[in-house]
């Protein structure tokens, strides 16, 4: 059998409050191999987002903390990495799509159309050397009437 891409064993996460520790995640375990897809579903407040945030070192500390378990991504513990290495991992090898009603994907559109559409509506700053140029300011001030380009299939 091949080595798992992601191996989560008995992950537990708690948040310290004035009334004591609140256990948000208790004993989550699963293994994911390359090429497999995992969807995490559950009731509101069941710890879906908290367990993923904890695995990536994104829960606020304090009050949040991992109280038990182990996470291995490609055989390495992401939480044992230095912050710089962890940031590369988060933006490179690991990506997360969180459930957020106002920013959730539209099931009536292709993923490509939604990604391209977001590029058209959110300006990306050019390199600093070009920001002061007259042509950049002129182009930037023109209204855009572009719509989302057709999806190539």
């Amino acid at each position: 059998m091949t080595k798992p891409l992601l191996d989560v064993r008995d992950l537990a996460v708690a948040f310290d409050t004035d009334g004591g520790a609140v256990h948000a995640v208790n004993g989550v375990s699963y293994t994911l191999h390359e090429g497999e897809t995992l969807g995490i579903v559950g009731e509101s407040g069941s710890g879906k987002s908290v367990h993923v945030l904890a695995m990536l070192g994104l829960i606020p500390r304090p009050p949040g903390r991992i109280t038990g378990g182990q996470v291995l991504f490609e055989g390495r513990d992401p939480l044992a990495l230095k912050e710089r290495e962890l940031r590369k991992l988060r933006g490179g090898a690991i990506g997360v799509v969180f459930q957020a009603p106002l920013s959730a994907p539209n099931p009536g559109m292709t993923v490509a159309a939604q990604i391209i559409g977001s590029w058209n509506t959110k300006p990306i700053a050019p390199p600093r050397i070009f920001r002061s140029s007259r042509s950049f300011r002129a182009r930037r001030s023109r209204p855009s009437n572009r719509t989302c380009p057709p999806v190539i299939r």
Side-chain angles (χ1 to χ4, degrees), residues 10-23:
D10 268 346
L11 184 65
V13 180
F15 290 90
D16 295 321
T17 68
D18 293 337
V22 174
H23 299 278

Side-chain angles (χ1 to χ4, degrees), residues 96-130:
V96 181
V97 178
F98 288 103
Q99 174 187 339
L102 297 177
S103 62
N106 180 343
M109 294 176 65
T110 65
V111 173
Q114 293 177 68
I115 291 171
I116 293 168
S118 69
W119 286 342
N120 287 337
T121 59
K122 296 177 184 171
I124 298 172
R128 190 176 307 190
I129 191 167
F130 297 114

